């Protein structure tokens, strides 16, 4: 009987998902999928209708416009360094104790892990989405926001050269891709160590260039059309390099992006998966064990 779910999953991956991606490209101009775009737009519209009349979210106009127009914006809040230093120290210890969990050149801690009390071990995480970054997110959404999940992860240089050439490291995220989640979602990153341009920063295209590149292939399949050695990707619009504590907000559903190789040292980052808050609750951490990849589940929770 187990063969039927496997067949359904295979059919979905081979037939339904490519059609969904192609229709999303045709109707919305990005490779996130028709269902993900429709649900994301509906969630945004419904959330904004619930905002109390007359309520205004603090506006960081320049950075919000950058996020809306380009799909990414950097920020740097020095007051977060104390929390980041504490998180980094604890994460270093965890990585030593869990070195055997390294998979595809990556170690990861997540709020999705039911067997690990994420916030008890890393209470400092909740201090990071305050101040400027909170104002940017609220002004961007025109609504309150919520955290769907949080990851802390470490990437290291692959030892096999063949893995580098085909983009297969880090769960194939070396290939240029979009996340394919509901399009109300974006990501907030923090660097936990200094990263140079030669040290393996995340690379990304802006929204307009991503639309042009993905539009050359219907559907855009990242492991085929997003391989890092393709000439079309010789130029990119941003690299996530800088000092520890540098923050980045990026629309990973509309901006093509990829991991590059941390050839100098390991690269540690925090990643917040953010979505619009349909209930307008003040606590953005009220439910952080969700994956937004299924449009239906995002509607239900």
């Amino acid at each position: 009987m187990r063969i039927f779910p496997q067949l359904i999953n295979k059919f979905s991956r081979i037939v339904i998902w490519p059609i969904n991606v192609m229709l999303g490209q045709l109707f919305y101009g990005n490779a996130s999928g028709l269902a993900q775009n429709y649900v994301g737009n509906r969630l945004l519209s419904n959330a904004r209708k619930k905002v109390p009349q007359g309520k205004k979210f603090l506006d960081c106009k320049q950075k919000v416009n950058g996020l809306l127009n380009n799909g990414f914006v950097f920020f740097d809040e020095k007051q977060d360094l104390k929390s980041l230093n504490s998180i980094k120290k604890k994460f270093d210890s965890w990585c030593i104790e869990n070195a055997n969990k390294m998979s595809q050149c990556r170690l990861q801690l997540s709020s999705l892990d039911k067997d690990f009390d994420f916030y008890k071990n890393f209470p400092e995480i909740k201090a990071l989405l305050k101040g400027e970054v909170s104002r940017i997110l609220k002004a961007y959404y025109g609504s309150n926001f919520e955290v769907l999940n949080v990851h802390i992860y470490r990437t290291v240089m692959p030892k096999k050269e063949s893995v580098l050439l085909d983009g297969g490291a880090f769960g194939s995220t070396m290939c240029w891709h979009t996340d394919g989640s509901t399009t109300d979602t974006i990501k907030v990153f923090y660097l936990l160590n200094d990263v140079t341009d030669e040290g393996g920063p995340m690379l990304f295209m802006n929204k307009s260039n991503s639309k042009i590149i993905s539009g050359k292939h219907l559907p855009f399949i990242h492991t085929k059309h997003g391989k890092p050695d393709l000439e079309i990707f010789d130029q990119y619009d941003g690299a996530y390099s800088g000092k520890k504590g540098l923050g980045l907000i990026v629309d990973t559903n509309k901006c093509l992006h990829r991991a590059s190789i941390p050839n100098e040292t390991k690269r540690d980052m925090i990643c917040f998966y953010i979505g619009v808050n349909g209930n307008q609750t003040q606590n953005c951490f009220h439910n952080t064990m969700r994956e937004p990849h299924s449009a239906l589940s995002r509607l239900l929770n």
Side-chain angles (χ1 to χ4, degrees), residues 2-12:
R2 293 178 60 187
I3 193 172
F4 293 107
Q6 293 174 353
L7 288 174
I8 291 172
N9 288 337
K10 187 173 183 179
F11 178 78
S12 177

Side-chain angles (χ1 to χ4, degrees), residues 201-269:
M202 182 174 74
L203 309 175
F204 43 90
M205 303 282 185
N206 64 33
K207 287 199 294 188
S208 60
N209 286 333
S210 297
K211 181 178 181 179
I212 292 169
I213 292 171
S214 64
K216 294 179 183 294
H217 307 281
L218 291 174
F220 181 87
I221 307 299
H222 75 284
T223 53
K224 180 179 180 181
H225 305 122
K227 288 189 174 182
D229 58 348
L230 296 177
E231 186 177 347
I232 194 171
F233 296 117
D234 287 347
Q235 300 294 323
Y236 46 85
D237 300 303
Y240 189 23
S241 58
K243 295 292 185 181
K244 178 173 65 175
L246 178 66
L248 169 68
I249 307 174
V250 58
D251 187 341
T252 49
N253 292 305
K254 297 177 183 176
C255 292
L256 286 168
H257 58 284
R258 79 173 186 92
S260 61
I261 303 301
N263 55 7
E264 290 183 348
T265 183
K266 57 185 177 292
R267 185 190 65 193
D268 295 347
M269 294 199 300

